[in-house]
Amino acid sequence: MKLDLSKRFGEGNGGCSIQCKANQEVLCNCSSAVVTAAHRVSKRATEPCRFGKGGTCCRNCNMGPCQIIDGVAEMVGVCGADAATVTARNFGRIVAGGAATHMDHGRGVALAFMATARGETPYEIKDGFKLRETALRLGIDPANKEKKDLAMEVGAKLLSEFGQQTGGLSFMKRAPKARQEIWAKTGVAPRGIDREVVELMHRTHMGVDQHYENLLFQSARCALADGWGASMIATELSDIMFGTPQPVRTKVNIGVLKKDEVNVTVHGHEPVLAEALAMMANDPEVVAAAKKVGAKGVNLAGVCCTGNEILMRRGLPIAGSFVQQEVVLATGAVEAMVVDVQCIMQGVSPVAGQFHTALLTTSEKAKMPGATHIPFDEHRALDVAKEILLRAIAKFPERGKNFIPKHQMDVVAGFSHETINYILGGRFRGSYKPLNDNIINGRIKGVAAIVGCDNYRVLEEVHIELAKELIANDILVVVTGCAATGMGREGLLTPEALSMAGPGLREVLEAVGCPPVLHMGSCVDNSRILIALTEMVHTGGLGNDISDLPAIGCAPQWMSEKAVSIGQYFVSSGARVIFGPSFPTTGSREVTDYCFKGMLEPYGAVWDMAQTANEFSNKMIDAIHQKRAALGLDKKKERVLFDMAMRRELGNQALHGVGCHGPGGTAG
Ligand code: SF4
Ligand code: MSK
């Protein structure tokens, strides 16, 4: 199949996820029989269905499917459902789908954690300090308890919250007090984790909840059960079990594949199998087997968020983001792609079939035509990992014509909330105070999160241009998921990228050797951003709630249902979120107005939409300055003429160290 990719891939437009040079070179060098999402999307001459895109196609019963047109009386559903009901129901189902993935992921981590505490897996409890901290947070006294007993108690408590019917979620008590009061007042606090998905699916069934506000209320409750429940449990227990990320230097892009090693890529989201593979990759028996077939060893590289998990904790490289998953295989240099769950395109199977590559599914929840299934079980983790690696090694002699592009880029990742605390405040007085102080004194204007997927439907690479614009305006950027990999490809995740930052941000971060864009992890790790925002509130000086902070989030190239759940838990937590290039409720003016304006009243934050990098940056910078103005931080200081007495007083203060504020030096 020969396709003209020039429209999609542009010329000399290196760097963007779609047009990145590595992608272009691989696709130009591989056989025309290789078909990827890039080919499929350019073959689709038509725009996506307007009803589907705007949320007004309903197939919730067999009298439909019904396409609804907002404001046209004859164009309601056969049952009478109007655009607002159908759009809100569809929005709810997107949130339920997204939240459910994180819930199943979190449950899986909790079960593996319990098995580890019982000594049934090869993993260990690596971060004892975080275990004790978490125990205290859950009201469990860690005193005089063996590590494994304490881990059992912590794991059992958190696992119980998945099936819990009433009461609240423990980690929601970490939120600022004002936020907890808002949740209590609105009644939106989740009762149990799984319950909220089940109820949302019930409410969106034909003939149940027909009020869009009520549907969006349950969507918010379900999303909160994701962010402050399942996702946070997944992140915290993974940290305790596999180690809390610390800054680590590694590389990203397809060039991390190696000519003389057996390339094994891990793709999906769950860290448990990838950890076992990392533990076995240097096993003497595995290395000997690799040498026997003429390879120097095994090169483990990530794709999507499984990649982000092992990049954050082990410093292993990432070969590609979501839009690169098929292109990585199209190199012909991958012996095995090991997949677990989420974001795995069905298209990888036919691409793998063009080469010697073994496509290996490992989760009972996710099998694929054309793949070999090797069931993973944490109790047999190392045996399964060894079997996978030996299968990959056996493929190495079959490697035929291949092309590995040179492109790879250095990145510094591993910015957990704990790391930020430590970097800013030092080991013995870890604190967000230097960050808050520098926001107050104006060197840093605020914080922006760029999260989520990359997407073949988006022609402009918004992430990169947006991040550059934000850091140039002295806004600290935090990133997760595939957006982070895209930033990595462009060199934004290195301290050297500070040359692109505004003078204030540069001055603060140069002192601590931090990049201006901080990689905080996989998409489940967006919970780290919730904690970082909470910490900023607790540190003081920037208001009483997340909604007071000069902080904003966005997902300019969102693709997955998870992104919508994530966006909704940020909005319900008080952070404004901008999505692009589309929003799933635009088929109903009422519902979109409610999301873009009406949510301000219950949650103190709203959704918004933008398309170009320019539009995103204008809206985000404006929003940050509005928050600064509300906090009284954007007022121009009156010029003060100092007399002798005032100068003497200043001198005394300097002598006694008053005004010295961490990495920024003296406070302004
Ligand atoms: Fe049509 Fe109503 Fe059935 Fe939806 S629930 S498919 S709008 S009849
Ligand atoms: S993998 S959800 S494409 S970020 Fe987390 Fe990337 Fe989005 Fe999947």
Side-chain angles (χ1 to χ4, degrees), residues 58-66 68 76-81 86 89 206-207:
C58 182
R59 47 176 292 275
N60 289 13
C61 89
N62 202 33
M63 293 194 290
C66 300
I68 321 290
V76 294
V78 173
C79 66
V86 168
R89 274 200 310 227
M206 189 270 165

Side-chain angles (χ1 to χ4, degrees), residues 140-155:
I140 298 168
D141 182 4
N144 306 321
K145 283 184 186 148
E146 292 269 330
K147 211 198 250 183
K148 64 177 178 30
D149 296 333
L150 188 59
M152 279 299 287
E153 262 190 84
V154 166

Side-chain angles (χ1 to χ4, degrees), residues 102 267-269 303-306 308 321-323 325 342-344 451-454 480-484 522-524 557-563 566:
H102 289 154
H267 176 11
H269 280 78
V303 174
C304 277
C305 281
T306 304
N308 282 317
S321 63
F322 175 73
V323 297
Q325 57 185 286
Q342 301 163 28
C343 301
I344 300 139
V451 309
C453 326
D454 38 19
T480 57
C482 292
S522 64
C523 35
V524 107
Q557 296 176 218
W558 74 278
M559 168 285 300
S560 102
E561 291 173 323
K562 290 177 285 176
I566 293 164

